[in-house]
Amino acid sequence: MATAYISRTSASTGNRKTWTFSFWGKRQQIGTTEQHAYGWYTDSNNRLDFGFLSTNTLVFREVVGGSTDIELITDRLFRDPGAWMHIVVAVDTTESVAADRVKIYINGTQETSFSTETYPALNADTGNNVSGTTYLIGQTNSADYWTGSMSHVQLVDGAALAPTEFGEVDSTSGIWKIKTTAYATPGTNGFCLKMEDRTNLSKSTSSNAFTFTTSGTLTATYDNPSNNFCTLNPLDNYYYNATYSNGNLKIATVAANYTWATGTQALTGGKWYFENKVIVGGSGSTENMIGIAPTTTVSATAQLGSITNSYSYYGGGGIWYNGSQQVGSMPTYTTGDIVGCAIDLDNNK
């Protein structure tokens, strides 16, 4: 979501003791800044943060009047930019056991190991579901933006729900998968943003037909929890000083260097096709190389096509593989061109 976000100011006070927030997310930047999926912010002493810290741990934190009344930071790290994950926080301050008052679930499994563990007081009113408060999806404090993709963002006011209300285990694969139906009784301030309407990503699809405000430009994607797309992989990145954006679909700010970035899904067989759009090309920028490489570690100065079984289409017009230019006099490509790659691993073509 880059520097874009979605917001809504509550017109009524709902249940401040019991509520659930659920969303599906796919990370982009790993180990950089804080990235919040949901929260509210009045000032540094009054705020709710729910997302990832720069340490790649998950944080759920509420600060009221300068006092931190809720703070859970996981021991576990979350560093996978190639998969969608389902994250749920269920709050119920009426529970007699402190650890039952806030529960966090990842892909259907409750998270129980925390480096920081502060629970709200019994029957405490949280800052959620308060009339006049502006709730933020994709950032807090005009910063800490969520940089990846999001889908099926739901708030349920008045119930602390299990993750099985929003997802389930696939009977064939055993993988946690999405339930695409909005929760039936969202409560006073509840909502569901499926983000499937490409013309209106902030459209509410729950029985509460709230109007949300989009700030900045949201980018629609067909990548979703039911059909996970291959994207560029910043963790397997041989580019020098690369900047990733658009859900790891775009590379920019790359210094001159014969290196490359790979995708998040390695291939072992079958027939595949992918495309790349050139955003910088032409005179002085003919060093673009698009192609495939084996899943082996390379040096920071190796160019695509310079190692065995790597192939690249060179922007200046040529095919490189096994360390040298093997085919010359190819058409050059430049800014705005789209280069397609068809791969047949069953027949080595």
Side-chain angles (χ1 to χ4, degrees), residues 114-134:
F114 301 98
S115 61
T116 300
E117 201 167 0
T118 302
Y119 294 98
L122 181 65
N123 293 316
D125 283 330
T126 68
N128 214 45
N129 295 320
V130 178
S131 178
T133 298
T134 298

Side-chain angles (χ1 to χ4, degrees), residues 258 284-289 314-316 333:
Y258 293 108
S285 301
T286 58
E287 305 300 333
N288 292 316
M289 291 183 166
Y314 167 57
Y333 56 82

Side-chain angles (χ1 to χ4, degrees), residues 225-302:
S226 298
N227 187 13
N228 186 31
F229 280 26
C230 178
T231 64
L232 295 166
N233 187 356
L235 300 183
D236 195 27
N237 164 39
Y238 305 104
Y239 262 118
Y240 176 74
N241 196 30
T243 299
Y244 292 80
S245 60
N246 284 4
N248 289 333
L249 293 177
K250 180 179 178 180
I251 293 180
T253 317
V254 179
N257 207 317
Y258 293 108
T259 51
W260 68 81
T262 65
T264 53
Q265 298 177 13
L267 313 177
T268 59
K271 298 178 176 66
W272 304 84
Y273 179 78
F274 67 91
E275 291 183 339
N276 298 263
K277 183 176 181 178
V278 181
I279 57 174
V280 176
S283 177
S285 301
T286 58
E287 305 300 333
N288 292 316
M289 291 183 166
I290 297 170
I292 62 171
T295 53
T296 56
T297 302
V298 300
S299 73
T301 57

Side-chain angles (χ1 to χ4, degrees), residues 1 24-28 84 146-151 221 223 247:
M1 298 175 73
W24 290 76
K26 186 175 182 179
R27 299 199 67 191
Q28 176 184 296
W84 285 86
W146 180 267
T147 62
S149 301
M150 299 182 76
S151 180
T221 175
D223 195 351

